[in-house]
């Protein structure tokens, strides 16, 4: 029931809000894969995940930049709507990220 807070775009992480940013920090520390001794494995997993998410949404991102008068407002609105649907359990998609990420 806590308000998500303002919409922000985190470098390398994408769209978020205050509540979800704190949640991401907790996720990082609670993920056992982040405690693997092999740094190449950890960094490689993060890089592959980021590239995969971007490639799955590249057409949508390009379309928004080409057709929207205010892409920032469009991304903000889409992220907020998707996140609210996820919180209400109305979204069948994967958690996290939002539109474009």
């Amino acid at each position: 029931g806590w308000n998500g807070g303002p919409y922000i775009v985190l470098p390398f992480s994408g769209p978020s809000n205050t509540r979800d940013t704190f949640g991401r920090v907790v996720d990082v520390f609670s993920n056992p894969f982040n405690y693997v001794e092999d740094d190449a494995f950890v960094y490689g997993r993060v890089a592959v995940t980021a590239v995969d998410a971007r490639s799955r949404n590249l057409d949508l991102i390009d379309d928004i930049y080409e057709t929207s008068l205010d892409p920032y407002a469009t991304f903000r609105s889409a992220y907020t709507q998707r996140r609210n649907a996820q919180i209400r359990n109305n979204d069948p998609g994967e958690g996290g990220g939002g539109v474009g990420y």
Side-chain angles (χ1 to χ4, degrees), residues 33-93:
F33 284 116
N34 292 333
Y35 293 99
V36 173
E37 293 294 324
D38 185 8
D39 287 341
F41 171 78
V42 174
Y43 296 137
R45 186 178 62 84
V46 169
V48 167
T49 302
V51 169
D52 180 53
R54 176 97 173 146
S55 69
R56 284 186 280 121
N57 294 299
L58 193 56
D59 291 335
L60 176 61
I61 293 168
D62 290 342
D63 187 48
I64 289 173
Y65 278 119
E66 290 176 11
T67 61
S68 178
L69 295 175
D70 187 356
Y72 176 82
T74 303
F75 285 120
R76 181 183 62 213
S77 176
Y79 171 79
T80 303
Q81 289 176 28
R82 180 170 186 261
R83 190 64 184 116
N84 288 338
Q86 287 175 327
I87 290 169
R88 290 188 313 268
N89 294 322
N90 293 339
D91 188 319

Side-chain angles (χ1 to χ4, degrees), residues 19-35 45 83 95-97:
R19 177 191 54 219
D20 291 344
T21 299
F22 285 115
R24 286 182 182 188
V25 170
V26 171
D27 289 345
V28 166
F29 286 107
S30 65
N31 187 340
F33 284 116
N34 292 333
Y35 293 99
R45 186 178 62 84
R83 190 64 184 116

